[in-house]
Amino acid sequence: MNAMEARKSRFFKNMFLSYCLIIILSFLIYSVTVIYEAAKVKENQAVKYYETKAQAFANGMDQQIYSAQNIITNLNNSSLINKLYMTVQMQSPVDSYLLYQVLNDIRYQKTAGDDFNITDVVLMMNNYNKVYTSDEVVHLSDRIDLSEWKTDRLAITDLNTSLNMNNSQLTFFKKYLIYSGAYQYGSGSQRGIICVLFENQKIGEMLKAASGEARGYAVYYNGKPVIKEGIEDGRSFKQTSQVSSAISYEIIADYSKFGFEFSDLGSFALIFGFLICMGYLILAYFFTNRYSSPFEKIRLLVGKDRKEGKNEAEKIVSGVVDLLGERNGYMQQVHNMSPYASQGILHSLILGSDGESVNKEFLTDFVQLKRVFFLAAMVDLYYGEKWSKDEAKKGVKAISLLAEQESDEEFKILSYKKDSTHVYLIFNSNNGERLEDKLYEFFDKMKKTLDFNCMVTVGADEVKEELEEISVSCDNAMLALEKILWEGRGAIYFHDPQSDCSMNYYFPKDGVKQLTKGMKDRDRESIRHFFEEIEKKNQMEFDNSVYAGKLLLSELYVTVAKAMQAVWDQCGIPLRRVDVCPSYRTMDEVIEYYSNLIEGLFIEVDQSEELREEYFQNESELIEYINKNDKNPDLSLTQIADHFSVSSKYVTALVKKRFGMTYLKYVQERRISYAIDLLKNSSLPLEKIAEECGYTNMLTFRRNFKAIMACNPSDFRGEKTAEEES
């Protein structure tokens, strides 16, 4: 019997159709399951992604609001601003030194937080015709009445609109994102308004980057939109601000991001399933042909050969022998084929808040993470304050080698160097319940492998399944490592999003004042008590969350920096930036770091005093130099400072201490005093008198003369002449 006849038989058709029906039904069930699961997985992934983006969006904007609130609070507590206000209220002239200090304080507040989105800080006092910014004093044509100020605390507008003015300066007519607050010293009544001006374009770029693939986003104040961009139609994800209950955020995602589409990864699973279905149909045809052929031969043996009159027994036996000879062909193994569905595409990996880009080698390693579950951790290596780069390099290399050695068929461990003392670890396995145990085992082996001088601490996130969450998981591991501040080193800390969100912490209200006084008095005991009070009260009375710890460290840094700069200013030492304490330090190490900075400041002040004594033992030498050269038009603070190798601020402080006035006012009064003598006792023209007194400009001479004598020099000479004649 030939093959074509076998395929035409009823047995072949029935068997093949049965196989086809089973395969097609299986494919339909598989397709429905894949589409349902793919849609469900995509929706869950999209929800997690946009929830993460909404949180990042809120955190980014909260940081801006928090910076603005800090600036407003610090200016409200500024004794310099209070002094300026009292001077204005008493209608006394504002001397140049106070003005210099006020502008410097506003400028410092603008730059202290390293928020590059802040363009300017504006201080406006009620019923006053001057506005103070970080760069200048703006003179207004009329006094401004701020009692009717109605602008929202957060709004996109310009100062002209807010003040109902038409000032031509860029600061006034350009639109900014303005965060405003009341100016009131201590708990007193409102004295004016402080506005923090954010650059619209930079804020927009920041929010757009934070919102990711969202179709639109918005920032609300008291339910009213302040910033609104993109398309409103879509699925909404909202977040409330952590720093102000009146502010809320929203990002809008396209509905298509939450449902199944044939362009998604699930379509590849469908295509793969279809190809497998076709393969099974081909196999079904092949095996149907092979299995049906013997039955056709048996039918012929029993039926057709009997008609031909041959020996029936011989024919049956002969046919069975032939069938047994073909048995090996029917005993071939069928290979199990199961579709493989990819668990996700790795879009990117962000290692921490410093913006470090990921290299290609690391991404190549990450493609190997094909198991279901993963756990992200970050290792902190601490060799003490005086560590060497060679030690750190050996430690990082040892961890990398240990990760390779500990990887096996069940667990894959990848390591990636973040910086000289921090290493990322990614544990990957199909057994999610064992990942944390594996982390503890690896932690113990790291401690045995590394140098005994090295203290190992690990921050870790919870076990996760989606590769797209590696970026967030690495960030969470970094946050968990911040627990070193209160918990200490040498342990594993896991990220707890609920307990880490508190922003409550203790810090003295007059911290800058306390620390500045202690530094100026060289009172090491009061400085030690200041730090101990912060440490003990936070440990005993607050929950010590990660975010609260970060805010506490930020405020502590600003306080130490301001106190040190106040001492530098008083001693005439040039100001400079104070370095922030390195990250991932215990509270004791933080206090030790800033205590060492303060001790260094004391040494620097002592050296500065020794230098001043070496250059001129008597301060009268500098005053005498000013008195001899006060009529020289080239005399200036810079020239005097260069001549005596001191800072300009030292000269200003010395003159202030000796005469109770600024350097500029002292020189002006001496020049005008000499001008009065010449007006009384000579007939020199006014231009010559101005020149003799050190003025190169008659307008400046007249203005300074009138400021001191309340009349013009020509009027003064006329009055004296009339008195002499009478």
Side-chain angles (χ1 to χ4, degrees), residues 190-207:
Q190 181 171 336
R191 297 175 170 181
I193 299 294
I194 299 173
C195 294
V196 181
L197 311 183
F198 292 92
E199 184 66 41
N200 271 341
Q201 184 177 357
K202 291 183 179 179
I203 293 293
E205 291 172 355
M206 180 198 71
L207 295 180

Side-chain angles (χ1 to χ4, degrees), residues 307-504:
K307 293 178 183 179
E308 293 176 353
K310 295 181 180 179
N311 188 303
E312 183 176 343
E314 290 183 1
K315 292 292 183 182
I316 293 175
V317 173
S318 176
V320 171
V321 171
D322 291 339
L323 288 177
L324 291 175
E326 298 176 10
R327 183 167 178 79
N328 290 334
Y330 303 134
M331 295 298 293
Q332 295 178 355
Q333 295 182 355
V334 179
H335 296 284
N336 294 326
M337 301 180 67
S338 59
Y340 175 80
S342 177
Q343 299 181 27
I345 299 174
L346 185 62
H347 296 289
S348 61
L349 183 65
I350 304 173
L351 303 179
S353 59
D354 53 4
E356 181 182 352
S357 60
V358 183
N359 58 39
K360 295 181 179 178
E361 182 181 356
F362 190 51
L363 286 176
T364 303
D365 286 342
F366 252 87
V367 175
Q368 301 175 21
L369 298 177
K370 296 179 180 179
R371 297 164 181 83
V372 178
F373 302 99
F374 75 88
L375 184 149
M378 191 170 83
V379 181
D380 175 81
L381 305 178
Y382 184 70
Y383 296 89
E385 292 299 330
K386 297 182 179 179
W387 58 276
S388 67
K389 291 185 178 179
D390 291 337
E391 287 179 325
K393 188 176 181 180
K394 290 178 182 178
V396 172
K397 186 175 181 180
I399 292 176
S400 178
L401 292 174
L402 184 63
E404 292 180 8
Q405 294 171 5
E406 293 298 313
S407 295
D408 52 31
E409 291 298 325
E410 184 180 0
F411 292 97
K412 178 69 178 178
I413 307 174
L414 295 179
S415 67
Y416 175 67
K417 175 183 174 183
K418 180 182 182 292
D419 53 44
S420 56
T421 57
H422 295 94
V423 180
Y424 281 108
L425 294 175
I426 308 297
F427 294 79
N428 187 221
S429 174
N430 287 326
N431 186 355
E433 296 179 355
R434 281 271 297 132
L435 280 176
E436 289 189 8
D437 295 336
K438 189 67 176 178
L439 173 61
Y440 279 102
E441 293 173 7
F442 193 83
F443 178 69
D444 292 335
K445 291 180 180 179
M446 278 194 297
K447 291 192 292 185
K448 295 177 182 178
T449 303
L450 296 172
D451 192 297
F452 68 92
N453 291 324
C454 177
M455 185 73 74
V456 183
T457 313
V458 176
D461 192 24
E462 61 184 2
V463 176
K464 294 187 177 180
E465 300 180 35
E466 304 299 333
L467 286 176
E468 289 83 351
E469 295 185 87
I470 286 181
S471 171
V472 176
S473 197
C474 289
D475 290 342
N476 290 342
M478 291 178 63
L479 287 175
L481 200 55
E482 298 280 358
K483 294 181 181 179
I484 287 177
L485 180 66
W486 298 111
E487 303 295 334
R489 300 185 181 279
I492 298 177
Y493 300 114
F494 285 89
H495 175 61
D496 185 356
Q498 294 183 347
S499 64
D500 290 347
C501 288
S502 172
M503 302 180 75
N504 297 320

